[in-house]
Amino acid sequence: MEIWKAGCMDANELLKRYCAGERNFTQVSLHLVNLSEVCLAGINLNQSNLANATLSQTNLRGANLIEANLTAATLWRTDLSGSNLILANLKAANLIRATLRKVDLHKASLMKADLRLADLHDADLSNANLAGADLRYANLNGVNLAGANLSGANLTGTKLSNTDLSHASLTKAILCKTDLIDVDFTEVDLTGVDLHYCLFNGVTLPERSLIEAG
């Protein structure tokens, strides 16, 4: 199978090659491209440049987006289920209502990304940078957030039950009506966080975090 590598490509060329059976588009430049409402399931866009690209309602299930640049990309209602986004750059990306179930976002950058109402059930966000991200009413049930940076993130109404938050930073994060049932708070930094309106069920917070949060 031919691998398209280190070149610029427009939407029509990529779709033509994809429909012909090609899946490997390593390091391709798709800056500002519009690929909305198309099927690109299983595509390999490893280390590709998709900054400011429009991928709304696109099927990217099982895609390889390792180290891809998706800065400020529009991924509204995009299906990324089971995709690999390790070390991907999603700073300021629009992921409203995106489906990210079982996605691997280990060490990915999601600073100031808009993840409102996104479905991240069982995703791996360990050591990811979510500083300033908007996660209002997102589904993070069963997510691995160990070591993640959630400083200043908005988690209003977010579902975080059965989530691993061990060693994560939630400094000055907004938690209102947040579901924290059966969450692992081992060594979590909750400095400046108001937990009075969160949902708990048998969770014991670290004494240090309780003092700092108060």
Side-chain angles (χ1 to χ4, degrees):
M1 184 72 68
E2 178 184 355
I3 297 178
W4 183 273
K5 187 174 181 180
C8 295
M9 186 179 294
D10 60 23
N12 291 334
E13 180 67 16
L14 183 139
L15 291 172
K16 177 182 176 181
R17 290 173 176 269
Y18 182 89
C19 290
E22 290 187 40
R23 293 295 181 270
N24 297 305
F25 299 91
T26 303
Q27 297 179 351
V28 71
S29 178
L30 293 161
H31 179 240
L32 292 171
V33 76
N34 188 340
L35 286 165
S36 296
E37 300 181 38
V38 298
C39 179
L40 295 172
I43 194 169
N44 179 6
L45 289 165
N46 180 37
Q47 297 182 329
S48 292
N49 180 14
L50 291 145
N52 298 106
T54 302
L55 297 151
S56 296
Q57 301 186 78
T58 296
N59 181 350
L60 285 165
R61 295 173 68 92
N64 178 356
L65 289 157
I66 296 174
E67 294 187 75
N69 180 9
L70 288 149
T71 303
T74 301
L75 296 145
W76 176 75
R77 287 186 179 273
T78 300
D79 188 353
L80 287 150
S81 301
S83 295
N84 193 336
L85 286 139
I86 292 175
L87 291 168
N89 185 350
L90 289 145
K91 292 178 182 177
N94 179 349
L95 289 149
I96 297 173
R97 292 186 180 276
T99 301
L100 296 149
R101 285 183 166 242
K102 297 184 178 180
V103 169
D104 194 340
L105 284 155
H106 176 63
K107 289 188 176 181
S109 177
L110 290 137
M111 290 178 62
K112 297 185 178 180
D114 194 338
L115 290 144
R116 284 175 290 166
L117 298 164
D119 186 357
L120 292 118
H121 193 279
D122 290 333
D124 184 356
L125 284 156
S126 56
N127 296 111
N129 188 351
L130 290 139
D134 191 343
L135 290 149
R136 283 177 287 173
Y137 300 98
N139 178 8
L140 275 75
N141 288 340
V143 171
N144 180 4
L145 282 161
N149 180 9
L150 288 150
S151 300
N154 191 337
L155 294 154
T156 299
T158 302
K159 297 177 181 178
L160 282 163
S161 61
N162 297 303
T163 297
D164 184 357
L165 278 167
S166 58
H167 304 282
S169 173
L170 279 85
T171 304
K172 296 183 179 179
I174 301 171
L175 281 78
C176 180
K177 299 181 181 178
T178 306
D179 183 349
L180 297 170
I181 296 174
D182 295 324
V183 172
D184 183 353
F185 277 102
T186 304
E187 294 297 324
V188 177
D189 186 351
L190 290 162
T191 304
V193 177
D194 185 350
L195 298 168
H196 290 98
Y197 299 100
C198 295
L199 302 176
F200 292 95
N201 178 22
V203 174
T204 301
L205 297 177
E207 184 177 352
R208 176 178 60 80
S209 295
L210 279 170
I211 294 172
E212 292 174 347

